[in-house]
Amino acid sequence: SAVISQKPSRDICQRGTSLTIQCQVDSQVTMMFWYRQQPGQSLTLIATANQGSEATYESGFVIDKFPISRPNLTFSTLTVSNMSPEDSSIYLCSVDGQDYGYTFGSGTRLTVV
Amino acid sequence: AQSVTQPDIHITVSEGASLELRCNYSYGATPYLFWYVQSPGQGLQLLLKYFSGDTLVQGIKGFEAEFKRSQSSFNLRKPSVHWSDAAEYFCAVGRSTGFQKLVFGTGTRLLVSP
């Protein structure tokens, strides 16, 4: 199965600033997925990133707040923009490993103060 | 719309006792079903998955799950729980064709008592 390297693992940020999270996969994948896990909650999909096209955002998430890049088949970034304390969450990237199932990165624990 | 229900928010099991975590799903197509475990401060680790075939699937760490189409269920079981199994467990469903997102249940937190 694919191995995902996600960084940073955690960060504490000031409100109003932005943070970019990176995910590097050890093999080429068609789709990458970005999830948010708010404190004590389950995972919610933010967007699906396909190489060479605009990301597809789920209801309640917008590109201006969560811009995503997907420059090639092994890498993607998610930016959390103009942060507020409500953005404090764990952010995870994921890939579809086909027969191996969906693999997740280790997550980025973001605290906004 | 697809959904996953994990009716138990918390479960406490004595070490060495058996475990069953419930998962019910609602999905219009043939589902892919997954169980993930999340230890505190960690990412998600895949325990097992069901795509097709034998409805009883074996996973890592001694876990197994049974797919029951008639009940729309995919319950996770382990015959003897270890203290290291204490974690959050998530059931998820995805579509069986194409590259699709996963829909997660709300999770069940497992506590293991000595």
Side-chain angles (χ1 to χ4, degrees):
Chain A
S1 62
V3 175
I4 302 174
S5 174
Q6 183 175 343
K7 55 184 179 182
S9 59
R10 60 178 63 232
D11 207 341
I12 301 173
C13 300
Q14 297 291 323
R15 67 178 66 200
T17 63
S18 298
L19 175 71
T20 295
I21 302 167
Q22 300 179 2
C23 267
Q24 178 75 52
V25 189
D26 68 345
S27 58
Q28 293 184 343
V29 294
T30 303
M31 294 288 195
M32 293 183 73
F33 305 88
W34 287 97
Y35 289 84
R36 182 177 72 181
Q37 186 179 21
Q38 294 178 299
Q41 303 295 314
S42 185
L43 283 77
T44 302
L45 183 69
I46 297 171
T48 302
N50 191 7
Q51 192 269 334
S53 63
E54 291 285 329
T56 302
Y57 289 82
E58 297 294 303
S59 176
F61 298 96
V62 295
I63 187 171
D64 291 345
K65 176 66 175 178
F66 298 101
I68 289 172
S69 77
R70 184 79 202 277
N72 56 54
L73 291 174
T74 64
F75 187 78
S76 179
T77 67
L78 169 75
T79 299
V80 185
S81 303
N82 189 24
M83 289 183 285
S84 66
E86 292 70 36
D87 294 319
S88 298
S89 297
I90 299 173
Y91 293 86
L92 300 105
C93 62
S94 174
V95 301
D96 178 2
Q98 294 294 289
D99 290 345
Y100 297 102
Y102 293 77
T103 303
F104 285 81
S106 54
T108 296
R109 183 179 295 272
L110 171 62
T111 302
V112 184
V113 298
Chain B
Q2 55 265 42
S3 66
V4 177
T5 301
Q6 293 180 248
D8 303 307
I9 298 175
H10 297 99
I11 282 185
T12 300
V13 175
S14 298
E15 189 168 16
S18 63
L19 169 71
E20 182 169 27
L21 302 182
R22 295 183 290 166
C23 173
N24 291 95
Y25 68 91
S26 173
Y27 207 75
T30 303
Y32 278 1
L33 293 160
F34 306 83
W35 275 99
Y36 287 88
V37 61
Q38 185 180 37
S39 298
Q42 303 296 313
L44 272 72
Q45 182 180 23
L46 179 65
L47 284 176
L48 47 78
K49 61 189 182 294
Y50 172 78
F51 287 177
S52 64
D54 192 347
T55 56
L56 183 65
V57 293
Q58 302 297 320
I60 62 171
K61 304 184 179 185
F63 285 92
E64 66 177 26
E66 186 171 13
F67 171 59
K68 294 185 177 180
R69 184 184 299 275
S70 62
Q71 299 177 19
S72 297
S73 69
F74 189 57
N75 294 348
L76 181 71
R77 301 193 293 250
K78 186 170 184 177
S80 178
V81 169
H82 188 262
W83 64 266
S84 61
D85 294 324
E88 187 91 20
Y89 291 81
F90 292 96
C91 181
V93 63
R95 203 167 76 181
S96 59
T97 57
F99 303 98
Q100 298 293 329
K101 68 179 182 181
L102 292 181
V103 175
F104 283 84
T106 51
T108 297
R109 180 167 296 278
L110 173 65
L111 305 173
V112 180
S113 61

